[in-house]
Amino acid sequence: MIWNDDFETLPREAIEALQLKRLQQTVERVYATVPFYKKAFGKLGIKPADIKSLDDLRKLPFTLKQDMRDNYPYGLFAVPLEQIVRIHASSGTTGKPTVVGYSRRDIDTWTELMARSFVAAGTHKGDIIHNAYGYGLFTGGLGAHYGAERVGASVIPMSGGNTKKQLMIMQDFGSTVLTCTPSYSLYLAEVAAEEGIDIRKLKLKVGILGAEPWSEKMRQEIEDKLNIKAIDIYGLSEILGPGVGIECIEAQNGLHIWEDHFIPEIIDPETGEVLPDGERGELVITTITKEGIPLIRYRTRDITRLIKEPCICGRTHARIERLSGRSDDMLIIRGVNVFPSQIESVLFNIEGVEPHYQLIVEREGTLDTLEVQVEVNEQTFSDEIKILQGLSNKIRKDIKDLLGVTCKVRLVEPKSITRSEGKAKRVIDNRQKNS
Amino acid sequence: MKVEQISIFIENKSGRLAEVCGILGQAGVNIRALSLADTSDFGILRLIVKDSEKALKVLREHNFTVSKTEVIGVEVPDSPGGLSTILQILDRNNVNVEYMYAFVERSGDNAVIIFRFDDVDEAITALSKNGVNILKSEMITSI
Ligand SMILES: [Zn+2]
């Protein structure tokens, strides 16, 4: 099923023609209304009129998350505040959050793109959508909410937390679609098991999961434990919120990026150069319809590659491969790039090991050390020391083989790694603190 | 003849052993034999208790990882060479001992050693054939 046939199946040339027209309009607008961009264009000697083709996009300056912080709170808004009808902000783990403002038309676009996303994920009118994304400054809750309503589904605005109550509602209200972070879906399954609820037998059929990177193996585990199709949704508040892209349920192979509203590029995160089609690098997004806070070449820090081949679902919009990590989460350990998701995939490939792990990075003298803590469960436990040592040796060896990094593996008791109700805390990096 | 032993995964941090014993004590589970095997990071606590099902249940409730294994209790004459005779029998019959530990209490004049084998049935056959006394489960848990 396709929500908006006209736009979602536009031929490639038509998409590109539309993108160019909208890009030119956006560039004109930010140049005229956002001093930050006028200055940034000026530094590179670029005028809006220089953008004559989509290829000219690469002449434009990047926008970094830091630029948003530097212009906190409203400095990058392209319309007067009286035209802003909603303000969201992303969690600022360090310092100030990044603030985004939406015009009425922006909210409408967001709602439309979330509606497309819900339908691509196999949701329709008649579904009962259990929305466990947080409502508030975080874009997840309200973004999913509006889109679900537009589709005509019944939305339960659960927000996050209070897991036992979530399970009660899920049973009693007959929720068919779950929207939350992937780690929270597993947490729900875990609490359900503790409460003696067979979550596999509930009416849930689809989970629309996002806001953190998750591996293919984690998807298998979620699909298994909850007996649902787990669909990956992509979004970031700076660009829109959830609904920048989504997997179609037909292929479950790459996330369609709504190209009539965004232009994706893949660059080398070190040099900033645009990479040839199909290569993996950092995703950069330009918004081409946003009014409140249009962003030119925003560096997402997400690592992926672009897939332009046609998709079996009939949508013509390009796909991004599922994220292999965030360049922010990327740990550099003794000069080697390590993504937590890679460690997770190693663990998933070992029989019986569950993805409850934490990475502790320390610096001893000038040497980085990586400790991988893995919980021991009844499947991996043995009454013999040598078998447990064999397990930790295997984990260490597999990590070394895949990543080329030597680590220490520490087996820990179950539930000793904090379970999150939101995003999973996978990495504790003590290097900055101690140096 | 087989005795149920429970094993518990514990991280090597102070007080953890006392905690396990405390949990079992509060549940009224009597510990009959205990052995701790450890590495620098973790340990495996092996216990023989009167009511292993109850012990497993309360430990699971406290989020411990636990398992059940079958072991046997063997009477060993408390004289020089007593244990060696038994190990020789096992060796001759190619029975592999995974680990063993001494039971605190005695059975009459004899010491009691708990053995964990690769193949417990094979071990029982070899020992019985050679006249070694294997204690019944009830006897072990009620010593
Ligand atoms: Zn598709």
Side-chain angles (χ1 to χ4, degrees), chain A residues 124-151:
Chain A
H124 41 72
K125 200 176 160 88
D127 272 316
I128 299 175
I129 298 184
H130 186 104
N131 187 18
Y133 281 119
Y135 282 68
L137 278 180
F138 173 58
T139 49
L142 285 167
H145 186 108
Y146 274 55
E149 279 189 355
R150 169 113 10 133
V151 170

Side-chain angles (χ1 to χ4, degrees), chain A residues 174-300:
Chain A
S175 314
T176 58
V177 177
L178 171 65
T179 51
C180 64
T181 60
S183 56
Y184 190 63
S185 75
L186 281 178
Y187 184 75
L188 274 166
E190 201 174 299
V191 175
E194 279 169 18
E195 296 291 299
I197 299 164
D198 187 353
I199 200 165
R200 295 180 48 88
K201 295 245 168 74
L202 302 187
K203 292 201 173 131
L204 285 181
K205 52 173 189 160
V206 174
I208 300 174
L209 313 174
E212 65 188 13
W214 46 307
S215 64
E216 200 55 39
K217 285 284 182 175
M218 186 162 174
R219 157 141 66 199
Q220 282 167 23
E221 193 190 4
I222 292 169
E223 294 196 335
D224 242 38
K225 286 201 168 152
L226 285 95
N227 191 23
I228 57 175
K229 278 263 181 211
I231 300 290
D232 195 357
I233 184 165
Y234 179 67
L236 58 175
S237 65
E238 294 85 346
I239 295 300
L240 182 77
V244 175
I246 190 147
E247 277 178 331
C248 54
I249 197 161
E250 292 90 344
Q252 264 186 308
N253 179 21
L255 293 81
H256 290 283
I257 295 288
W258 304 121
E259 284 190 281
D260 48 340
H261 296 273
F262 310 108
I263 304 179
E265 298 169 278
I266 301 289
I267 63 158
D268 178 331
E270 299 293 321
T271 64
E273 288 303 312
V274 174
L275 291 172
D277 270 358
E279 277 193 34
R280 188 171 284 109
E282 181 180 335
L283 176 66
V284 169
I285 297 177
T286 299
T287 69
I288 49 174
T289 53
K290 266 181 93 185
E291 294 180 337
I293 178 164
L295 295 180
I296 303 295
R297 304 192 83 201
Y298 182 71
R299 305 249 331 224
T300 67

Side-chain angles (χ1 to χ4, degrees), chain A residues 194 376-379 381-386 388-389 392 408-416, chain B residues 5 7-11 16 37-39 41-42 44 46 60 63 65-67 69 98-99 116:
Chain A
E194 279 169 18
V376 168
N377 59 20
E378 294 204 358
Q379 263 183 287
F381 180 48
S382 157
D383 64 314
E384 291 174 48
I385 294 275
K386 65 174 183 210
L388 288 178
Q389 281 177 333
S392 61
K408 171 175 167 43
V409 173
R410 183 193 289 272
L411 300 178
V412 297
E413 290 170 13
K415 316 248 160 119
S416 54
Chain B
Q5 171 196 265
S7 309
I8 305 144
F9 180 85
I10 52 175
E11 281 173 44
R16 215 57 187 136
D38 63 354
T39 70
D41 291 342
F42 66 86
I44 301 171
R46 301 160 183 149
R60 283 193 178 118
N63 290 329
T65 301
V66 288
S67 73
T69 337
E98 295 293 352
Y99 55 81
R116 158 86 153 100

Side-chain angles (χ1 to χ4, degrees), chain A residues 98 137 180 206 217 267 303 311 316 330 366 405 426 430:
Chain A
T98 48
L137 278 180
C180 64
V206 174
K217 285 284 182 175
I267 63 158
I303 304 292
C311 182
T316 49
M330 187 174 83
T366 54
V405 162
R426 293 301 187 199
N430 292 322

